[in-house]
Amino acid sequence: MSTTTVSTIPVGTYAIDTVHSEVGFVVRHSGISKVRGRFTDFSGHFTIAENFADSSAQVTIQSGSVHTGNEQRDGHLTSPDFWDSASNPEWTFASTSVEGAGEEFTLHGDLTINGVTRQVALDVEFNGALASGDGEEKVGFSAQTVISRKDFDLTWNVALEGGGLLVGDKVTISIEVQAAKQA
């Protein structure tokens, strides 16, 4: 099978390949370290339009699919103290606009967590495209944003004896996407 690497973003509609993609986050813990986690159940699609500014993306994340490497912490995150996955099973992102063009751009959109919707801006990097000899086309992107937990009513915390809080307010969300062009 021969492949060709493409340096421009091919126009079309793409479905996220969840086997080769990841939605992760990082948050400060105890004021001295960072905890990393990821979601194992998510889906989405996006369209790269001829007029790049008309491009769009939609993603759904199952909030109960969090994995931080610690079962007890995962259980606490999905409890009513944090995002209450039983009552708020899905988080969504729907783009509202694209700023810039080319290999780096900003994707603006509505992020909904626990029923609270806020505007966020994802800094996106186009990682490349691959066209295989059998006609399959794939693209890859990296994206990142920083949100405030408080903006989404995620306020649970514990004051530390020496000062500060157990869980930081700022959360970095990182996304790695590989997607396949739809027929």
Side-chain angles (χ1 to χ4, degrees), residues 11-115:
V11 171
T13 299
Y14 295 83
I16 294 173
D17 174 356
T18 58
V19 173
H20 297 103
S21 301
E22 183 173 281
V23 176
F25 63 90
V26 178
V27 64
R28 188 164 296 282
H29 183 263
S30 298
I32 60 169
S33 65
K34 293 182 180 178
V35 169
R36 299 178 190 287
R38 63 185 175 90
F39 294 94
T40 59
D41 188 359
F42 57 92
S43 61
H45 62 277
F46 55 90
T47 299
I48 305 299
E50 286 284 344
N51 176 5
F52 193 69
D54 295 332
S55 299
S56 63
Q58 295 77 36
V59 177
T60 301
I61 299 167
Q62 299 303 315
S63 66
S65 72
V66 66
H67 178 75
T68 64
N70 180 293
E71 228 175 275
Q72 183 179 2
R73 179 174 41 233
D74 295 348
H76 193 204
L77 288 172
T78 59
S79 78
D81 281 347
F82 282 94
W83 51 71
D84 193 6
S85 293
S87 297
N88 301 291
E90 289 187 346
W91 296 354
T92 60
F93 173 81
S95 66
T96 56
S97 66
V98 180
E99 182 182 342
E103 306 225 345
E104 293 183 7
F105 56 93
T106 302
L107 184 62
H108 298 273
D110 294 326
L111 177 62
T112 302
I113 297 175
N114 287 9

